[in-house]
Each structure stands twice: as structure tokens, then as C-alpha cells.
């Protein structure tokens, strides 16, 4: 009967950097993905910052139009008062968008969510529902 066990000398040898090369490749790929995500995030941030003034101007126009049309809305004094209050909020939002960069807005959102987790979760669910509905409606056209 022959001994089928092999000694350490008889085993095939692999380059010592084999396993670490795979680990290095994974690490390099992860670093590239992280860098690309960072670049994309910065591009999105720059795009939002570049369009803040246009968004604020649009909000101001909507507020102005709502103020102008408030008196002619049906529903009486309550509806008129509500329309003016909404227009004032739109105007305040326009000022906020003009004076705060993306990082500051994100910080404010984080604070809001931390201080009001229940309402924030409900708002996120409602927004998600509306977005899904908008996409499903646009795909059916």
C-alpha cells in the first residue's frame, strides 16, 4: 500500500501575493467606487447650488400669483386668508433657498427628522407614494 499523503515539499506552490492581490483588487475597486460616488455627490450638490436662485425665483413668482389671485378664489374669507398665508410661506421658502447652500439645507433636514421622527416618516411615505404614483401614471401614457 502506498502512502498517498503528500509532504509540504510535494504540494504545488502559489505566488505569495495571490490572496492579497485579490484583496488588493477588491480594496482598489471599493476605493474607486467610493471616489466615484463622492464625485457624483459633489456634482449633484453643485448643480443644486447653481439652480437655487432659479428655484427661489419660481417660488417667489408662485407666491406673487397666489397673492394676486387670492381675492378671486371661491370659498370666502377663509380661503382668501389661507391663500395669503400659503403665499407668505412660499415667499419665506424662497428666501430660505436663496440664503442656504445644500449642506446647510441637509443639516436642517437631519435636525428636523431627528426632532420629529414620526411626522418625518409619514411625510416620507406620502412623498414616496406620490412619486411612485407619478411614475406609474407617466408609464401608462
Amino acid at each position: 500500500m502506498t502512502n498517498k499523503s503528500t509532504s509540504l515539499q510535494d504540494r504545488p506552490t502559489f505566488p505569495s501575493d495571490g490572496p492579497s492581490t485579490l484583496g488588493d483588487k477588491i480594496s482598489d475597486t471599493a476605493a474607486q467606487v467610493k471616489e466615484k460616488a463622492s464625485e457624483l455627490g459633489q456634482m449633484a450638490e453643485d448643480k443644486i447650488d447653481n439652480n437655487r436662485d432659479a428655484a427661489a425665483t419660481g417660488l417667489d413668482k408662485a407666491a406673487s400669483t397666489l397673492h394676486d389671485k387670492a381675492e378671486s378664489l371661491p370659498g370666502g374669507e377663509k380661503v382668501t386668508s389661507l391663500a395669503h398665508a400659503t403665499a407668505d410661506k412660499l415667499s419665506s421658502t424662497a428666501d430660505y433657498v436663496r440664503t442656504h447652500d445644500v449642506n446647510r439645507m441637509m443639516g436642517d433636514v437631519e435636525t428636523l427628522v431627528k426632532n420629529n421622527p414620526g411626522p418625518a416618516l409619514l411625510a416620507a411615505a406620502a412623498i414616496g407614494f406620490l412619486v411612485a404614483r407619478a411614475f406609474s401614471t407617466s408609464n401608462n401614457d
Side-chain angles (χ1 to χ4, degrees):
M1 181 167 155
T2 51
N3 186 356
K4 295 215 173 196
S5 67
T6 56
S7 69
L8 290 175
Q9 295 172 349
D10 296 337
R11 291 184 183 169
T13 59
F14 297 101
S16 62
D17 62 341
S20 65
T21 299
L22 178 59
D24 290 344
K25 286 181 181 179
I26 291 171
S27 179
D28 289 346
T29 302
Q32 289 173 352
V33 168
K34 185 177 178 181
E35 182 179 332
K36 191 66 170 174
S38 178
E39 288 174 14
L40 289 173
Q42 186 62 48
M43 286 172 46
E45 185 178 316
D46 292 345
K47 188 165 185 127
I48 290 169
D49 275 337
N50 290 338
N51 291 318
R52 282 185 311 141
D53 194 50
T57 300
L59 288 168
D60 274 336
K61 286 181 182 178
S64 178
T65 301
L66 192 52
H67 272 305
D68 292 344
K69 303 287 183 185
E71 302 299 325
S72 63
L73 293 173
E77 189 177 317
K78 279 188 173 184
V79 171
T80 300
S81 177
L82 183 61
H84 284 299
T86 302
D88 290 340
K89 290 291 184 187
L90 284 172
S91 184
S92 295
T93 302
D95 292 340
Y96 176 84
V97 168
R98 251 189 218 98
T99 58
H100 294 80
D101 67 356
V102 173
N103 290 327
R104 175 71 188 269
M105 286 187 235
M106 290 304 295
D108 290 345
V109 168
E110 286 177 20
T111 301
L112 181 71
V113 169
K114 285 179 186 176
N115 293 338
N116 305 290
L121 184 59
L122 288 174
I127 290 169
F129 173 78
L130 293 173
V131 168
R133 178 113 176 164
F135 279 116
S136 68
T137 302
S138 66
N139 289 337
N140 292 334
D141 290 341

